[in-house]
Every structure is written in structure tokens, then in C-alpha cells.
Amino acid sequence: MSIVQDIRTAFSRRDNALNQLLLINVLVFVFLVLVKAILWLSGFQGYFGNVLRQFVLPSDLPSLVRHPWTVLSYAFTHEGFFHILFNLLNLYWFGALVREYLGDRRLVSLYILGGLVGGLVFVLAFNLLPTLRPYAVAGTPLLGASAAVTAIVMGAATLLPEYTFSLILVGPVRIKYIAAFTILISVIAINQGNPGGGIAHIGGAILGYFFIKQLQRGRDLGRPVQAVGDWVGRLVTGRPNLRVTHRSRPAEPAAKATGPRKPAQDEIDLILDKISRSGYESLSKEEKQKLFKASQQ
């Protein structure tokens, strides 16, 4: 089937991480919708809870021990159409921004770590805070990509706080204010009957902020995620580890030395002048990358 071939092609590419994250969320959603419909038509709709339990993150520790994979699978699981729609829209908008500046591997790392930290904060809060402990006893689950997406939103806002999105009916808004509004909504959710989701969002936001701050200091928190991803990729494709050796070469004169060139101050001044005249969105991809490199010096 052409659809199956299209899916295989999407996952075979290494420069397509954003589309792959979107596609995984959609595939899990469609799978659960089909299973629910089949069970309902066959008169076994009561068994859908058992299926869903394999994907969502439980708040009680005994269930979590029996389903450890749910610390990650919940971040790709949705039930409601509007739930997945808004999550994937935010993932697409802010994920494209993060991917443009930091690349595919760091986008995936931010998503995975945001989901893991959001889930960890959720489990700890429900088992340690007396107010939330009754929810854990009742087995309240967590599902949805919101914590992972919030990590990406906060990461984008920390990386480029002055970047502007044009929102329908609102107009241009700097993403630092969008991130602040996202946090406010999460706090409101805690007070309005959805403490699990709100707490997980805040956990994801904290991870997104520290991920970018550490990256700007030269420390990539996503390296363990990237290493695991490389190992899984080699396991699936059967490709062996590649060992790269370098032959010693005579030292080149300083004038011919190669390596990543830091943007010259004159270039940065010209880019800043362009921003003042035409706005940040007028910059090319190369100019944005030069400006980001200069900010790390």
C-alpha cells in the first residue's frame, strides 16, 4: 500500500525528526481509535481500558512498576481529537523553530526529556503531596504530549525570546509571552480539576528552560537520548558501529587553519541593523545561525 510505503519513507530519513514525531503521535491516536471502534462493534468495549492502560502513565507506583514503558509511551498517546490537534499544532510551530536552530537530534532530545521529566514530576507529586495522594490511590493516569510540547515551547522561548508569531485574532506576539501564558494555563489547570496535566506541563517547561541554558553553556543534556537513539537505530538497521580514524597531517599555517568560523563582529552588526530595519523574521536561515553562534561566545 502507498500509505505504508509513505510511512516507511518518512521514518527512513534522518533529516525529518519533526515529521516523525508528528507521525508517531498520529499513528498511536489512529490505532487507539480503530481498536476502540472494533471493540465497540464486537460488544467488548469494556476491554478498551485494558488496551489504553498499556500506553498511559499510571500515578500509583505498583502499576508503574508493571508498566515501566509508559514513562515514555504516554507522551505519544491521546484520546480526544482536540487534545491531539492542539498539541500537534504547537509541536509543529515551535518544533520547526527549535529544529531550524538546533537540528533534528536536539529537537528529539528536548521532546523525549520533556516527556520523561513531566512524567517524573507527575508521579512524584501524586505520591508525595498529601493533597494529591488520593488521586494516586485512585490510579489517575497521565496521557498526552503536552509536557513534551511544553518543553519545546519553553525551549524556543528561552532560545529566542524576542521571536514573534502572528496569532489569529491577536496579531504579532513574542514567544516569551506565549510561554508565560502556557505556564499560567498549567497553573490554572491544577486549580481547575486537572492537577496531573498541569504539574506535568510545569515539569516539561522547567526541563525546556534548563536544556537551552545548559546548551548555551556548552553542555548538551540530550546526549544520552541521542546515544540511545543511535543504538536503537543500529539495532533496527543492522548497521555496525563505524570507527573513524584520522591520519596525521602536517600542521597547516595559521592563515589556512580550518574549523568552525565564528561570525565576525562586522557580520553581527549588519545582522542587528537588518533586525532593527525589517524585524527578526527578515533574516535568512544562515543569518539566524550566525546570530545564535555569536550569542554562545
Side-chain angles (χ1 to χ4, degrees):
M1 294 178 62
S2 59
I3 296 179
V4 175
Q5 184 59 41
D6 289 342
I7 294 173
R8 293 180 61 183
T9 301
F11 282 105
S12 66
R13 296 180 56 183
R14 295 189 176 186
D15 60 345
N16 205 25
L18 178 57
N19 288 345
Q20 289 169 358
L21 289 173
L22 294 167
L23 185 56
I24 293 172
N25 278 278
V26 171
L27 289 176
V28 173
F29 178 74
V30 171
F31 171 77
L32 291 175
V33 168
L34 292 176
V35 169
K36 189 173 185 178
I38 292 171
L39 291 176
W40 184 83
L41 290 173
S42 59
F44 295 101
Q45 59 266 33
Y47 289 94
F48 180 71
N50 295 331
V51 176
L52 188 62
R53 197 172 296 120
Q54 308 306 313
F55 293 86
V56 300
L57 178 64
S59 54
D60 60 302
L61 295 179
S63 295
L64 179 58
V65 170
R66 293 193 300 270
H67 305 83
W69 58 87
T70 57
V71 297
L72 185 57
S73 64
Y74 89 92
F76 297 93
T77 305
H78 302 80
E79 274 198 286
F81 174 76
F82 288 104
H83 188 200
I84 188 174
L85 176 64
F86 289 123
N87 273 340
L88 295 195
L89 285 175
N90 284 323
L91 175 58
Y92 179 78
W93 291 328
F94 291 92
L97 191 60
V98 171
R99 179 175 180 263
E100 179 179 0
Y101 282 87
L102 302 182
D104 289 275
R105 291 163 66 85
R106 284 171 177 161
L107 170 64
V108 173
S109 298
L110 192 52
Y111 186 99
I112 297 298
L113 290 176
L116 291 175
V117 172
L120 176 63
V121 173
F122 163 78
V123 172
L124 289 177
F126 271 53
N127 286 275
L128 296 179
L129 298 179
T131 306
L132 298 177
R133 207 169 292 159
Y135 291 93
V137 174
T140 303
L142 177 67
L143 72 160
S146 300
V149 172
T150 303
I152 292 175
V153 172
M154 182 58 69
T158 306
L159 180 66
L160 301 164
E162 303 302 322
Y163 191 92
T164 301
F165 275 145
S166 293
L167 302 181
I168 300 175
L169 303 179
V170 177
V173 179
R174 296 175 185 174
I175 60 174
K176 63 182 180 182
Y177 297 122
I178 298 177
F181 181 74
T182 300
I183 298 299
L184 177 61
I185 292 297
S186 300
V187 174
I188 293 175
I190 295 175
N191 298 324
Q192 298 295 324
N194 184 23
I199 289 173
H201 298 174
I202 293 174
I206 293 173
L207 182 280
Y209 173 82
F210 279 105
F211 184 95
I212 298 300
K213 286 299 182 182
Q214 291 300 305
L215 191 61
Q216 291 172 337
R217 294 183 176 93
R219 292 187 289 271
D220 189 352
L221 299 180
R223 286 181 179 175
V225 176
Q226 296 164 18
V228 172
D230 291 340
W231 177 81
V232 172
R234 290 191 298 268
L235 191 65
V236 172
T237 61
R239 294 174 182 172
N241 291 335
L242 297 179
R243 298 184 63 181
V244 180
T245 59
H246 300 272
R247 295 181 180 179
S248 59
R249 302 175 60 185
E252 297 182 0
K256 297 182 179 180
T258 59
R261 186 173 66 88
K262 296 180 180 179
Q265 186 59 45
D266 291 342
E267 292 179 294
I268 300 304
D269 291 339
L270 290 175
I271 294 173
L272 294 176
D273 289 340
K274 185 175 181 180
I275 293 175
S276 64
R277 293 194 309 269
S278 308
Y280 185 84
E281 291 77 5
S282 65
L283 299 183
S284 66
K285 182 177 180 179
E286 290 74 17
E287 289 171 332
K288 292 176 182 178
Q289 292 175 343
K290 288 179 181 179
L291 191 61
F292 176 67
K293 291 178 181 177
S295 71
Q296 292 185 305
Q297 298 177 16

